[in-house]
Amino acid sequence: MRDETPGRMNAAVYKEKGVIAVESCDIPEPGPGDLLLRVSYCGVCGTDLHLTMEGWGRPESVGGHEYSGEVVAVGSAVRDFAVGDRVVGGATPGCGACEYCRMRRPSLCSGRGDLGLASALGAFAEFKCLAAASAIAIPEGLSARDAALCEPLAVSLHGITTSGIQKGQRALVTGAGPIGALTLAALRARGIEDVTVSEPSRARRELASAVGAARVVTPDVLEIPAMPFTVVEEPYDAVFECSGSELALRAGLAQLGKAGTFVLLGTGARYPRFDSNRMLLNELVITGAYNYDDGGFEDAIALLAAGTLPTEYLIHDEDVALANLQRAMERLVAGEIGGKVMVAPSV
Ligand code: NAD
């Protein structure tokens, strides 16, 4: 239910590990360079699950960073957007001056500060303020619901860029949550046809099949040869680790062929054990992929607008009101839901 009190809105506030409460709070005030959005949709990210269900969140914070919405007010200095425009929240611009920004690697910007997740006033709320410089217009013909996939798709595209994978090569994706499923979909869209997905949850294995995996397996199928110089029979050129599971890290590394690349997208694995002899003997590359390419949101929204991604599978078919967010998170953690859950805060 909408909060109709002038100047007030409902938001899903993180209270403590596993607990979210819908509370009335002030609608944020846009500064001169800001937009105020009425949030249309906000996806639930694996990071929101870590923050809420594992208790890393800061009490009284509001999560949600994968959002689309309609502009309802603009700051006095805003020229590029007007009331009624539809936008998604994009990346916080880098400083533009540090060595990493000059290398067009804004996710490494020296001025980015800490992750800022715990203090965010996010989009699990009816309204959200954002800098106009961070907003990306939603192209005509693209629904606000599909557009809310822009942020996680930009993460997946960054992983793919980082891997250097080429057409005709083979990929393994470990974990078919939203990031893994979008990585699979984006690999297919980029012409990589031979993609295997490893995933313990049945719902998500089914999702991976529907999205176009050539092969879908349970994690126990991935063999770890005893000797570090032994390469598996059908090795992969790139592994996209999208689960944050230590087991997936170990098994994924062992699936690489010589000179293969292992891309870490999943967070949270504590002290994973990588076989350094396997890395050395096969000249493997292990790299992190954090956030987005330079221009990654523009690429992601263009890919969504092209209409070729199977969003009917990628997005869970039941949208969620703020009041049901905690339950949806519980179901996500239990592996009961395959696709991306969209919160519709104004329902
Ligand atoms: P998610 O929790 O929904 O998905 C993780 C999936 O991994 C689940 O389906 C789970 O069943 C599966 N899994 C668990 N153990 C496995 C194993 N041994 N082998 C294969 N799969 C296994 O999360 P998500 O939203 O898809 O996000 C994935 C990860 O990416 C999270 O850790 C999230 O924090 C991280 N993330 C990273 C970035 C970045 O910039 N790199 C951005 C956003 C999210």
Side-chain angles (χ1 to χ4, degrees), residues 44-51 54 56 65-66 107 117 151-152 154-156 158-159 173-182 197-202 204-205 217-220 222 241-249 251 264-269 288-292 332-335 337-340:
V44 179
C45 170
T47 306
D48 294 312
L49 295 182
H50 288 308
L51 289 170
E54 293 168 22
W56 305 354
H65 55 274
E66 303 176 354
S107 60
L117 290 166
E151 194 273 354
V155 170
S156 294
H158 184 49
V173 176
T174 52
I179 295 290
L182 282 163
V197 171
S198 155
E199 165 61 54
S201 143
R202 178 200 288 256
R204 290 188 162 174
R205 286 198 303 275
V217 300
T218 49
D220 56 295
L222 301 179
E241 203 309 289
C242 302
S243 73
S245 145
E246 279 121 45
L247 288 174
L249 266 70
L264 278 163
L265 286 138
T267 55
Y290 175 58
N291 277 351
Y292 332 107
L332 279 165
V333 169
I337 297 179
K340 168 68 72 182

Side-chain angles (χ1 to χ4, degrees), residues 34-344:
D34 293 339
L35 308 177
L36 180 66
L37 303 187
R38 185 189 302 282
V39 178
S40 304
Y41 293 95
C42 183
V44 179
C45 170
T47 306
D48 294 312
L49 295 182
H50 288 308
L51 289 170
T52 303
M53 306 311 278
E54 293 168 22
W56 305 354
R58 196 188 66 176
E60 306 307 319
S61 63
V62 176
H65 55 274
E66 303 176 354
Y67 57 96
S68 61
E70 186 182 333
V71 177
V72 293
V74 297
S76 56
V78 173
R79 298 287 168 263
D80 298 340
F81 293 96
V83 170
D85 286 349
R86 301 182 315 141
V87 302
V88 295
T92 306
C95 73
C98 72
E99 61 181 301
Y100 303 106
C101 284
R102 291 202 307 275
M103 287 160 66
R104 302 194 60 208
R105 298 185 66 176
S107 60
L108 300 179
C109 173
S110 304
R112 77 182 183 194
D114 65 15
L115 297 183
L117 290 166
S119 60
L121 188 55
F124 292 145
E126 289 177 85
F127 294 90
K128 162 89 184 142
C129 242
L130 82 159
S134 299
I136 308 279
I138 300 176
E140 214 162 299
L142 177 62
S143 72
R145 190 164 180 266
D146 285 0
L149 285 178
C150 188
E151 194 273 354
L153 180 58
V155 170
S156 294
L157 290 176
H158 184 49
I160 293 171
T161 307
T162 307
S163 75
I165 193 167
Q166 303 291 323
K167 277 188 191 167
Q169 292 192 316
R170 306 185 72 226
L172 169 67
V173 176
T174 52
I179 295 290
L182 282 163
T183 301
L184 161 65
L187 282 165
R188 295 300 317 269
R190 292 269 165 98
I192 313 296
E193 288 177 4
D194 193 343
V195 186
T196 298
V197 171
S198 155
E199 165 61 54
S201 143
R202 178 200 288 256
R204 290 188 162 174
R205 286 198 303 275
E206 288 171 4
L207 169 74
S209 295
V211 171
R215 189 164 161 250
V216 180
V217 300
T218 49
D220 56 295
V221 168
L222 301 179
E223 172 205 356
I224 304 181
M227 301 310 289
F229 47 76
T230 310
V231 172
V232 294
E233 230 167 76
E234 291 187 279
Y236 297 93
D237 300 289
V239 172
F240 298 87
E241 203 309 289
C242 302
S243 73
S245 145
E246 279 121 45
L247 288 174
L249 266 70
R250 285 187 59 206
L253 189 79
Q255 299 303 306
L256 281 172
K258 291 178 180 173
T261 303
F262 188 95
V263 183
L264 278 163
L265 286 138
T267 55
R270 291 257 165 128
Y271 312 116
R273 282 169 43 211
F274 283 116
D275 182 341
S276 58
N277 291 325
R278 175 170 292 281
M279 290 165 60
L280 181 151
L281 291 165
N282 298 295
E283 297 198 355
L284 305 180
V285 174
I286 301 182
T287 174
Y290 175 58
N291 277 351
Y292 332 107
D293 293 336
D294 196 15
F297 275 77
E298 286 81 354
D299 292 345
I301 204 102
L303 182 51
L304 287 162
T308 50
L309 298 188
T311 53
E312 70 277 22
Y313 298 118
L314 291 165
I315 301 177
H316 180 58
D317 48 15
E318 274 171 51
D319 297 337
V320 168
L322 288 178
N324 297 330
L325 174 57
Q326 182 184 313
R327 178 69 194 123
M329 286 191 174
E330 289 162 0
R331 292 189 62 207
L332 279 165
V333 169
E336 292 170 17
I337 297 179
K340 168 68 72 182
V341 170
M342 288 294 173
V343 176

